Amino acid sequence: MLAQLIALSLLNVFVSAVERVYEWNVTDVYDVDPTQTGNGRWVMGVNGKWPIDPIVVDYGDQVVIKMTNQLTDNRTCSLHSHGIFQNHTAYMDGPPQITQCSIPPGDTFIYNFTALQNGTYWVHSHDMSQYPDGLRTPFIINAKEEPYDYDEELIISLTDWYNTPFHELFHTEFKTFKNPTGAEPVPDAGLMNDTLNATFAVTPGKTYRIRFINIGAFNAYTVAIEDHDMTIIEVDGEYTKPATASSIRLSAAQRCSVLVQMKNDTSRNYAITAYMDESLFDVIPDNYNPNVTAWLSYNNDSAYDVAAPVGELDWYDDTLLEPLWESNWGDSSNLLQLDFDFYTLADGANYAAINGTPFVDPKVPGIMIANSTNFDGYNLKPITYGPYTNAIVLEHLQVIDIIVNNYDTGIHPFHMHGHVFEVLERGEEDAGVYDFSVQHNYSTNPVRRDTVDIWPTSYVVIRMIANNPGVWVFHCHIEWHMDSGLVATLVEAPELVPQIASPDYVRQQCLEQKIPIAGNAAGNTVNISDLTGSPSAPGEMPAGWTSKAIATVAMCVLAALIGMGSIIWYGMQVERINAVEETEKDDWNKMLADG
Ligand SMILES: *[C@@H]1O[C@H](CO)[C@@H](O)[C@H](O)[C@H]1NC(C)=O
Ligand SMILES: *[C@@H]1O[C@H](CO)[C@@H](O)[C@H](O)[C@H]1NC(C)=O
Ligand SMILES: *[C@@H]1O[C@H](CO)[C@@H](O)[C@H](O)[C@H]1NC(C)=O
Ligand SMILES: *[C@@H]1O[C@H](CO)[C@@H](O)[C@H](O)[C@H]1NC(C)=O
Ligand SMILES: *[C@@H]1O[C@H](CO)[C@@H](O)[C@H](O)[C@H]1NC(C)=O
Ligand SMILES: *[C@@H]1O[C@H](CO)[C@@H](O)[C@H](O)[C@H]1NC(C)=O
Ligand SMILES: *[C@@H]1O[C@H](CO)[C@@H](O)[C@H](O)[C@H]1NC(C)=O
Ligand SMILES: *[C@@H]1O[C@H](CO)[C@@H](O)[C@H](O)[C@H]1NC(C)=O
Ligand SMILES: *[C@@H]1O[C@H](CO)[C@@H](O)[C@H](O)[C@H]1NC(C)=O
Ligand SMILES: *[C@@H]1O[C@H](CO)[C@@H](O)[C@H](O)[C@H]1NC(C)=O
Ligand SMILES: *[C@@H]1O[C@H](CO)[C@@H](O)[C@H](O)[C@H]1NC(C)=O
Ligand SMILES: *[C@@H]1O[C@H](CO)[C@@H](O)[C@H](O)[C@H]1NC(C)=O
Ligand SMILES: [Cu+2]
């Protein structure tokens, strides 16, 4: 009887699964000029169109994005579904040299996964410096039963706009000896819904769910709607208890759904303003407009005025939000500490480093290292993934607290692939590094999200559970910083990676580009402990270098390797974790067997 019921329910799942197929030819689109400068530029679009239509699916749907690279000049591409766990489908995550090889010109990579989350996400290229040039769009998963009632919804993206292609700026202005301090080029403008002056027509009296998504590469925005309160109900795909806010803050990659009750009175229109956080800029250009405006449009006979000047923006502190459902992950018995800062290296350019090491892609994609070195314990050793990947190996179902100390004076929004994490504590600006000598009081139901801000010279403590075997990156989502090496690699339960299905094209596309698909980070398949030839970063600044611009030169990449990948054990809960592991490991395997 029970067996029949299970069979029946499996059948139901099978019958109701809808396949949503998207055929995406990635192409350049020319003469795009959203800010009406008179000088259009190319951007990366889909099927000859930009902006790219948002992807909207329902919970449980099979999402199939057949992405064909039709870019010219030998450019590659890739697609990451930001916030999607890719549980059992780790090869679909998107970062080149981590879970796949970049898609070579003319090839098609089929991103194929089940939408088993709800809420507001986005997709973007994860190939070097590429998404700021246009290859990104919102991705919405409607829950079967939404926990909150609303009548209508709006998707409002926020982004930055550069008149010059990002990858060009990256090489000519950013990562060069001419910019040893790593000043980031300031965007020429900010956009809402990929345009300026958008008017969102609303129906009076109705309740709207507005999904704000920062799909930008650099700017953080504080968003306010004139004379309308917002009720926060979701951040980064996690529903929260309702929280009333006059404004919200979104760093690159963050999302927030708010409920807004429209007025009955239609006598005027109201500005939606996204205020840039100008503290991110080294230099503010003359006559710069940091305020991006769109409107709730009630009445086209009334004016569209910009918002009256506001003083201090009192945005809602996201660490005070509480998830609607508690996580029940239990306590952590593992502590990991990641310290990051920026350094000028021997080539005179600025690099970011975690525990002293700037991230550099391994020769073999990380997941294929895990998959192919599953013997004699090799894939359990961080060094197998390379001396420059900041690899950290996590045991299946471990609960881990991660302290991230920011030694830099800028704000950095850190994003973890494959997971949401709990934000146990976020230090105030300039609080310094995490203080082990004081008692820390973590909330019992801390906010969960996939991207968290770390304030200048301060820290966060986050908690995660390693319930998703695969290889996942944890990185700053400011594209300038990620491409400077502000990345760590979480290698999660590598012994289970060989059980993850990988379609043939995953390997073929590597081989076509002569990228090895087995061995350690150096591609060595014979002597796994020999890392000779594995990619590295430039060394430290040569002695005697005297650029007045350089303040922080003292860095020893090699010495810092000692700190890499070490997990400090504390507490006595290891046994409990192992006990949980056995039962749930079976679950993970079983689901795979069920397809
Ligand atoms: C947006 O509105 C401002 C203020 O009215 C105007 O100066 C600007 O030209 C408009 N831009 C576009 C692209 O519509
Ligand atoms: C993608 O490009 C191929 C080859 O040019 C073409 O046959 C196909 O129709 C295109 N698909 C879409 C959705 O535009
Ligand atoms: C593309 O790469 C191939 C192989 O490396 C090379 O032969 C060809 O000249 C390149 N084409 C362009 C336009 O760069
Ligand atoms: C997508 O994955 C599902 C589940 O593994 C499979 O049944 C389906 O054939 C795949 N679709 C494509 C187009 O690869
Ligand atoms: C998503 O929503 C479905 C119902 O629509 C619910 O069963 C499921 O638990 C939700 N999943 C998450 C991860 O919130
Ligand atoms: C938002 O952008 C989409 C895509 O360009 C467009 O179809 C839609 O009309 C825009 N909405 C508003 C209110 O500007
Ligand atoms: C608009 O009118 C409806 C029906 O009279 C009322 O329930 C609602 O509270 C009003 N909304 C506002 C924002 O005043
Ligand atoms: C006002 O005009 C804009 C542009 O034509 C249109 O998109 C919008 O729906 C109109 N607003 C209302 C309330 O009708
Ligand atoms: C942007 O908004 C702020 C806060 O309201 C205001 O002080 C400032 O003058 C505005 N800047 C411009 C260029 O409009
Ligand atoms: C993973 O390893 C298995 C053998 O253990 C192999 O069949 C498969 O092709 C590998 N997958 C990839 C993507 O390299
Ligand atoms: C935690 O709570 C204790 C007792 O109330 C207090 O003494 C301590 O300062 C708090 N710690 C922090 C970091 O706020
Ligand atoms: C992945 O799936 C397993 C069941 O196979 C489940 O126990 C685990 O919680 C899932 N992980 C995530 C991140 O959803
Ligand atoms: Cu950063």
Side-chain angles (χ1 to χ4, degrees):
M1 182 59 194
L2 188 61
Q4 276 171 335
L5 271 178
I6 292 170
L8 201 65
S9 69
L10 279 176
L11 193 69
N12 274 337
V13 168
F14 181 73
V15 168
S16 62
V18 175
E19 206 176 48
R20 305 267 185 178
V21 182
Y22 298 84
E23 261 187 46
W24 276 24
N25 290 339
V26 178
T27 52
D28 284 332
V29 180
Y30 298 95
D31 287 324
V32 173
D33 187 17
T35 61
Q36 293 178 14
T37 57
N39 296 303
R41 54 155 290 191
W42 63 266
V43 294
M44 285 179 208
V46 163
N47 300 333
K49 190 166 167 267
W50 191 91
I52 302 165
D53 289 336
I55 295 178
V56 181
V57 305
D58 297 326
Y59 178 85
D61 286 353
Q62 190 69 20
V63 181
V64 178
I65 305 168
K66 297 182 175 170
M67 187 153 136
T68 302
N69 178 1
Q70 294 186 351
L71 296 166
T72 53
D73 301 326
N74 280 347
R75 279 172 297 161
T76 57
C77 60
S78 82
L79 196 74
H80 168 56
S81 298
H82 184 114
I84 301 301
F85 301 149
Q86 301 294 4
N87 196 358
H88 304 281
T89 50
Y91 289 93
M92 301 293 143
D93 194 44
Q97 295 308 112
I98 303 294
T99 62
Q100 65 168 93
C101 296
S102 297
I103 308 171
D107 275 18
T108 303
F109 193 104
I110 303 171
Y111 292 95
N112 182 2
F113 57 91
T114 317
L116 293 176
Q117 291 161 258
N118 309 305
T120 308
Y121 303 91
W122 59 302
V123 296
H124 64 84
S125 170
H126 220 286
D127 218 341
M128 186 73 132
S129 312
Q130 205 166 59
Y131 85 79
D133 284 331
L135 191 47
R136 75 285 180 289
T137 197
F139 173 35
I140 310 300
I141 308 174
N142 296 312
K144 290 259 188 281
E145 263 176 84
E146 288 292 346
Y148 290 97
D149 288 332
Y150 49 89
D151 304 307
E152 304 282 344
E153 74 169 69
L154 294 171
I155 303 170
I156 303 188
S157 67
L158 308 164
T159 193
D160 16 59
W161 177 260
Y162 288 95
N163 292 331
T164 311
F166 192 91
H167 79 99
E168 210 174 299
L169 289 173
F170 189 81
H171 295 292
T172 59
E173 298 201 6
F174 182 67
K175 203 164 177 202
T176 144
F177 67 92
K178 289 179 285 186
N179 184 27
T181 60
E184 302 83 1
V186 173
D188 294 293
L191 304 177
M192 244 193 274
N193 198 39
D194 284 321
T195 185
L196 290 175
N197 305 336
T199 51
F200 296 94
V202 294
T203 308
K206 291 210 162 162
T207 301
Y208 279 67
R209 176 186 189 164
I210 305 184
R211 300 175 189 263
F212 288 107
I213 315 181
N214 187 337
I215 60 174
F218 183 29
N219 269 329
Y221 294 95
T222 297
V223 186
I225 309 176
E226 254 187 316
D227 216 10
H228 290 67
D229 271 344
M230 302 185 269
T231 304
I232 299 171
I233 58 162
E234 180 223 329
V235 286
D236 295 358
E238 294 287 324
Y239 287 96
T240 65
K241 294 183 180 166
T244 306
S246 58
S247 61
I248 54 169
R249 185 182 201 279
L250 293 168
S251 274
Q254 292 186 317
R255 294 88 66 204
C256 184
S257 281
V258 297
L259 297 183
V260 180
Q261 165 85 60
M262 297 305 157
K263 295 180 185 299
N264 290 324
D265 167 17
T266 60
S267 61
R268 55 164 294 204
N269 302 305
Y270 295 87
I272 308 170
T273 315
Y275 301 91
M276 290 179 194
D277 181 348
E278 291 179 283
S279 78
L280 270 58
F281 303 160
D282 287 50
V283 180
I284 301 169
D286 290 341
N287 303 317
Y288 195 72
N289 184 2
N291 308 336
V292 189
T293 305
W295 285 272
L296 291 180
S297 164
Y298 284 88
N299 180 345
N300 272 327
D301 296 329
S302 292
Y304 288 97
D305 294 323
V306 297
V310 292
E312 189 89 348
L313 286 157
D314 188 19
W315 46 268
Y316 196 93
D317 179 351
D318 58 314
T319 61
L320 301 177
L321 292 168
E322 282 193 65
L324 197 52
W325 300 294
E326 290 190 27
S327 71
N328 298 318
W329 293 346
D331 284 337
S332 156
S333 54
N334 310 292
L335 186 65
L336 184 67
Q337 185 179 329
L338 304 177
D339 295 350
F340 71 88
D341 203 354
F342 289 78
Y343 306 86
T344 310
L345 294 189
D347 62 356
N350 196 267
Y351 287 78
I354 295 177
N355 292 349
T357 306
F359 175 90
V360 179
D361 281 336
K363 253 189 200 164
V364 179
I367 196 169
M368 299 183 197
I369 299 175
N371 187 53
S372 64
T373 63
N374 189 33
F375 54 91
D376 298 343
Y378 282 120
N379 66 0
L380 299 172
K381 293 182 190 153
I383 192 62
T384 303
Y385 301 86
Y388 285 86
T389 55
N390 293 312
I392 294 146
V393 177
L394 306 175
E395 268 180 52
H396 190 42
L397 298 176
Q398 264 182 334
V399 178
I400 305 115
D401 288 358
I402 308 178
I403 294 171
V404 189
N405 286 320
N406 174 11
Y407 281 79
D408 179 55
T409 53
I411 298 170
H412 299 277
F414 264 72
H415 168 51
M416 189 182 287
H417 288 219
H419 293 272
V420 283
F421 46 73
E422 297 181 329
V423 184
L424 301 182
E425 187 178 318
R426 175 166 58 199
E428 297 295 326
E429 178 164 350
D430 297 327
V433 297
Y434 180 87
D435 185 350
F436 284 93
S437 70
V438 302
Q439 187 191 331
H440 291 266
N441 310 304
Y442 303 147
S443 145
T444 50
N445 186 22
V447 68
R448 285 191 301 276
R449 58 186 319 165
D450 61 44
T451 309
V452 66
D453 276 321
I454 311 177
W455 304 136
T457 51
S458 189
Y459 65 90
V460 290
V461 189
I462 61 173
R463 177 170 294 174
M464 64 171 293
I465 179 166
N467 60 358
N468 190 9
V471 177
W472 313 109
V473 274
F474 178 49
H475 63 88
C476 176
H477 218 290
I478 292 180
E479 187 75 358
W480 302 113
H481 303 165
M482 161 151 170
D483 294 348
S484 303
L486 200 41
V487 183
T489 312
L490 303 180
V491 177
E492 195 173 325
E495 72 283 5
L496 295 176
V497 165
Q499 299 176 30
I500 302 171
S502 58
D504 284 343
Y505 53 80
V506 172
R507 285 173 296 279
Q508 274 165 18
Q509 293 181 9
C510 296
L511 296 174
E512 265 173 52
Q513 300 172 94
K514 302 191 168 51
I515 299 171
I517 58 170
N520 64 17
N524 194 329
T525 53
V526 179
N527 186 352
I528 308 299
S529 40
D530 179 5
L531 272 300
T532 310
S534 114
S536 62
E540 61 184 300
M541 289 295 298
W545 174 274
T546 54
S547 166
K548 52 187 175 298
I550 302 163
T552 48
V553 194
M555 152 151 172
C556 181
V557 174
L558 288 173
L561 288 176
I562 299 158
M564 187 192 72
S566 63
I567 292 188
I568 307 155
W569 292 80
Y570 74 107
M572 299 301 291
Q573 296 172 50
V574 181
E575 267 176 60
R576 187 192 62 79
I577 287 200
N578 288 338
V580 178
E581 189 178 333
E582 285 317 313
T583 40
E584 299 212 12
K585 191 186 274 179
D586 290 338
D587 282 0
W588 193 84
N589 290 336
K590 186 176 166 300
M591 181 169 155
L592 245 136
D594 292 346

